[in-house]
Amino acid sequence: MSVQNESRFIEKRFTPLITSLKSVGEQYLLIGTHSINVTQSRISSILDSGASCVVIHSGKNSDLKQLSQRFYGNNDVVLLDREFQLSDLTTLGRVAVGKIVDRVFVNLDSKQSLLIRDIFEQCQKLRIPINTHQRPEYSTFSICSTYNDPGQSGLQIAITTNGQGCLLANRIKREIVSRLPQNISKVVSNMGHLRERIIYEDHNQIIHSHFLNKDLQDLGFGIDEDVWESHKLNKLVYEFNVSEKQLKMKRSRWLSQIMEYYPLQSLAELSVDQLADQYHKISQEDNSKENASKKQRNTPDKKASNVNDADVQVSTTASSILDVPKKGSISLVGSGPGSVSMLTIGALHEIKTADLILADKLVPEKVLQLIPQGTETFIARKFPGNAERAQEELLEKGFDGLQKGLKVVRLKQGDPYIFGRGGEEFLFFQDKGYTPLVLPGLSSALAATVVSNIPATQRDVADQVLICTGTGRKGALPNIPEYVETRTTVFLMSLHRAQVLIDALLEKGWDENVPAAIVERASCPDQRITRTLLKNIPQTVEEIGSRPPGLLVVGNAINVLTDPELLKYDSSNTYHIEEGYEHVGFEDNVQKLLNI
Ligand code: SAH
């Protein structure tokens, strides 16, 4: 590489590949102890990772004493009080790799520049990864600021600013860690435990699932319109008379859905039974165990106790409410696409005054946090293969609550009447004598375009908007709309079957070069907008994976407010991604206003 190329390399700021290294049994060499605190912390993390190390001391005698005292009796640390020699690189390592050390950490006085350079060059020749403290130009890897879960769940968080300030990286790490739910250790251990069990038990079924799905899809077996998204593991599981083998397979899909949608803190309590297909039994057991679980679940931690179970959270006040004879009431309330700033004041009122909340699994986590402690809350178990039953379950719970005189709030994602089965639910409750109050919500279909800086209508570009679905009844393709050049079309529930949908659109005469955007988790902090052309959508989805929920927008209005420079596609650059929801500061302030 020429010098010129090298400087371009630095300018371009390539992002280093962050990895998590398995170090057990490796032998590392620490050259110099110039900054004794750095040396001590390096040794500790090396020992924690299961490697051992040789330290060549080069500082004051008091430092050597300090190190000897701190690591006294530890056979995995060898302290050598002598000058470093280049031959150490090839003699102090493990026998298994010809005594070449596995990794080198240099911590020398910057005055020893020549030596530092020699070590670096020699390590490069020998292909030994090297880190030189505060000298990125003499390092082939750098150390991240890390958080290791003290609960030993295995969770680690690593932050790097790539040489722009380790203090800053530490600060960012603290900010992130302080935002994790208190029970994060339990969340990680529990999910790991469930995953392991499922993989172990259902291994063969998962392997065969791809073929099964495909066969069933060809046969047109139904999936519910609310069940879609993630194009890999979350794929389709079908609801009909399935064998024991197929039921087992469902669990892994359910688990991946739960991990994706449920409030993080609620994952700590999830059990394998809740992943099985036994909800009839479970709900009966739930009722009989209600009193016992009430006591257990109401912990002093507000966040954890709000929705701390994948199943039912039982109110402490439920029984006293039962004593008051009053007629139950029901409202169907839209909760918006994700951000609490997009919740209506009417919806907030309903959430705060409900006795029983029945929420869709897509209802945003921050909205769930607004639910007062002690309000009974049930999150729908609408997972692949269980959509119909989950819907019935919700309606039954709602009707049950109404008969007990409760104020039932059916919290629905986005707008209740846009692909949310709101109409069906309205009729169900009306039939039973309880006419719902229906409160509109901001639909993702219209919010997603705004947060993506797409004016859905724009003079001379787009004069109409169409909201439709990519998944029709029972998983079939919906009616494909005709192509209108001046229309912005939003396809909900479409990304898991991008290829089939785009094929159908092109066949119907859609322009393959019309702009298209994938908008995922609109208005959430991890929002992602991917702009491309219609013809590139399937390949793009394949490459970027999915971050549900997401939708597809197609039309010429997509790029009118976007810098055309960003959208110069060629064969190696077929899409453009924007990460994050810009108004995070605003979002924090709104959350503070609402005390969440
Ligand atoms: N009633 C809802 C839509 C329910 S159908 C509404 O009005 O928004 C579920 C589909 O909505 C998902 O498949 C996805 O296509 C879309 N969706 C919901 N929330 C979204 C979000 N925050 N970002 C992008 N798409 C979203």
Side-chain angles (χ1 to χ4, degrees):
M1 182 187 284
S2 70
V3 174
Q4 200 189 356
N5 274 345
E6 223 156 343
S7 64
R8 245 200 291 146
F9 174 85
I10 291 166
E11 259 168 44
K12 195 172 167 204
R13 264 198 198 291
F14 283 98
T15 46
L17 190 64
I18 300 183
T19 56
S20 146
L21 300 167
K22 265 199 180 152
S23 304
V24 179
E26 294 197 336
Q27 175 90 333
Y28 297 160
L29 179 62
L30 279 67
I31 306 172
T33 49
H34 181 66
S35 163
I36 188 68
N37 290 338
V38 170
T39 304
Q40 295 204 36
S41 89
R42 290 273 180 281
I43 298 177
S44 300
S45 17
I46 289 171
L47 295 178
D48 285 347
S49 76
S52 52
C53 58
V54 178
V55 185
I56 301 190
H57 168 253
S58 65
K60 297 178 276 194
N61 277 341
S62 57
D63 289 348
L64 184 64
K65 205 166 143 206
Q66 194 176 331
L67 288 178
S68 318
Q69 276 169 356
R70 167 110 186 245
F71 299 103
Y72 176 76
N74 192 324
N75 294 333
D76 290 324
V77 185
V78 175
L79 298 176
L80 298 181
D81 188 19
R82 64 159 171 78
E83 290 293 309
F84 165 76
Q85 301 147 14
L86 282 181
S87 60
D88 288 340
L89 298 174
T90 49
T91 51
L92 295 178
R94 302 176 278 155
V95 176
V97 290
K99 296 206 172 179
I100 299 178
V101 294
D102 292 297
R103 205 165 281 277
V104 164
F105 297 83
V106 179
N107 181 1
L108 290 168
D109 189 338
S110 57
K111 286 181 207 134
Q112 294 179 278
S113 280
L114 284 180
L115 177 59
I116 291 174
R117 202 190 59 200
D118 283 353
I119 297 173
F120 178 72
E121 283 174 357
Q122 191 63 14
C123 281
Q124 288 235 291
K125 272 188 210 146
L126 292 164
R127 318 206 49 136
I128 304 173
I130 173 170
N131 170 270
T132 305
H133 182 52
Q134 292 190 329
R135 300 297 291 266
E137 70 279 29
Y138 292 126
S139 303
T140 58
F141 70 96
S142 57
I143 310 286
C144 295
S145 168
T146 51
Y147 167 79
N148 296 329
D149 175 16
Q152 303 210 322
S153 65
L155 172 71
Q156 289 187 288
I157 298 176
I159 305 287
T160 173
T161 57
N162 283 313
Q164 297 180 94
C166 53
L167 282 182
L168 178 63
N170 275 329
R171 166 75 199 278
I172 294 172
K173 179 187 72 184
R174 286 203 308 276
E175 295 277 332
I176 292 174
V177 170
S178 70
R179 276 161 215 225
L180 293 172
Q182 284 177 355
N183 61 346
I184 190 70
S185 284
K186 216 168 158 211
V187 168
V188 176
S189 324
N190 193 36
M191 287 294 107
H193 165 73
L194 288 181
R195 189 174 164 273
E196 198 169 292
R197 203 170 142 185
I198 286 167
I199 287 175
Y200 173 73
E201 283 183 14
D202 304 347
H203 180 67
N204 293 329
Q205 285 76 9
I206 291 170
I207 288 174
H208 291 126
S209 65
H210 174 73
F211 303 103
L212 178 75
N213 279 339
K214 199 169 170 318
D215 293 348
L216 294 174
Q217 197 170 10
D218 292 346
L219 288 170
F221 276 106
I223 62 160
D224 186 85
E225 311 93 283
D226 296 355
V227 180
W228 17 265
E229 293 313 11
S230 183
H231 72 296
K232 293 252 166 66
L233 189 61
N234 286 356
K235 254 187 178 166
L236 317 178
V237 177
Y238 299 83
E239 194 163 3
F240 73 117
N241 261 350
V242 284
S243 69
E244 182 58 26
K245 211 170 161 188
Q246 291 152 357
L247 288 177
K248 273 184 161 188
M249 181 184 79
K250 269 188 185 174
R251 287 193 201 146
S252 62
R253 305 287 158 78
W254 284 36
L255 183 64
S256 62
Q257 291 262 315
I258 284 176
M259 280 199 210
E260 197 73 75
Y261 296 107
Y262 272 42
L264 201 51
Q265 64 266 25
S266 72
L267 302 182
E269 305 296 336
L270 191 75
S271 75
V272 81
D273 286 345
Q274 287 165 301
L275 294 173
D277 215 28
Q278 300 174 347
Y279 33 72
H280 294 283
K281 220 171 114 207
I282 292 168
S283 16
Q284 281 156 15
E285 281 168 11
D286 284 344
N287 290 340
S288 59
K289 283 186 201 156
E290 199 166 277
N291 287 333
S293 54
K294 253 185 233 174
K295 285 178 196 140
Q296 279 173 13
R297 287 171 182 161
N298 279 314
T299 67
D301 170 22
K302 177 173 178 286
K303 279 187 187 167
S305 66
N306 258 355
V307 272
N308 72 352
D309 199 301
D311 199 352
V312 182
Q313 165 67 34
V314 183
S315 159
T316 44
T317 55
S319 54
S320 53
I321 287 165
L322 292 184
D323 300 340
V324 186
K326 62 169 184 172
K327 183 163 161 47
S329 67
I330 169 106
S331 49
L332 302 183
V333 177
S335 67
S339 156
V340 278
S341 68
M342 296 182 191
L343 192 71
T344 66
I345 294 182
L348 185 64
H349 174 267
E350 291 303 285
I351 291 170
K352 294 288 184 193
T353 54
D355 299 319
L356 167 63
I357 295 189
L358 304 172
D360 280 350
K361 78 172 180 193
L362 275 186
V363 167
E365 182 163 356
K366 287 288 169 198
V367 171
L368 293 177
Q369 283 179 12
L370 288 167
I371 300 173
Q373 185 172 11
T375 303
E376 184 178 345
T377 305
F378 179 85
I379 303 174
R381 298 194 271 203
K382 272 202 185 176
F383 308 130
N386 187 40
E388 289 300 332
R389 174 61 202 137
Q391 181 70 12
E392 279 167 26
E393 191 180 31
L394 274 190
L395 295 178
E396 279 161 18
K397 280 190 188 293
F399 183 47
D400 199 41
L402 287 170
Q403 286 177 312
K404 290 177 183 161
L406 301 183
K407 172 170 179 165
V408 179
V409 172
R410 177 71 183 93
L411 201 52
K412 299 179 73 63
Q413 201 258 350
D415 181 274
Y417 283 172
I418 300 288
F419 295 112
R421 291 187 162 208
E424 281 169 44
E425 294 185 16
F426 182 93
L427 291 174
F428 173 89
F429 290 114
Q430 192 185 43
D431 262 13
K432 306 266 187 232
Y434 299 90
T435 302
L437 164 72
V438 186
L439 298 183
L442 194 48
S443 174
S444 62
L446 293 177
T449 46
V450 177
V451 298
S452 315
N453 223 13
I454 299 171
T457 65
Q458 169 84 357
R459 202 192 306 204
D460 296 334
V461 179
D463 56 8
Q464 48 184 281
V465 182
L466 175 68
I467 301 174
C468 50
T469 172
T471 306
R473 200 86 194 116
K474 299 202 181 294
L477 264 181
N479 274 339
I480 298 294
E482 62 180 313
Y483 179 60
V484 178
E485 209 184 325
T486 57
R487 178 189 280 170
T488 303
T489 311
V490 184
F491 292 95
L492 305 180
M493 299 174 277
S494 53
L495 297 175
H496 66 286
R497 46 175 16 212
Q499 183 74 60
V500 184
L501 178 65
I502 306 305
D503 286 350
L505 293 177
L506 296 181
E507 201 170 302
K508 187 112 189 199
W510 283 56
D511 177 358
E512 61 171 13
N513 288 315
V514 67
I518 297 166
V519 187
E520 294 164 293
R521 303 192 58 77
S523 80
C524 302
D526 53 351
Q527 168 181 295
R528 178 170 66 174
I529 301 158
T530 310
R531 287 168 210 270
T532 181
L533 303 176
L534 185 64
K535 63 181 176 194
N536 295 331
I537 285 287
Q539 179 63 25
T540 308
V541 171
E542 200 50 47
E543 279 179 32
I544 65 174
S546 68
R547 198 181 288 183
L551 50 77
L552 176 66
V553 189
V554 184
N556 287 307
I558 287 177
N559 295 333
V560 292
L561 303 183
T562 311
D563 179 358
E565 279 302 306
L566 297 175
L567 303 170
K568 285 192 175 151
Y569 305 121
D570 56 38
S571 55
S572 62
N573 174 28
T574 53
Y575 54 85
H576 177 261
I577 294 189
E578 286 157 63
E579 284 278 358
Y581 177 47
E582 269 179 28
H583 307 289
V584 175
F586 160 75
E587 202 62 26
D588 283 350
N589 289 336
V590 174
Q591 287 174 20
K592 268 184 215 144
L593 189 77
L594 294 169
N595 285 329
I596 48 174

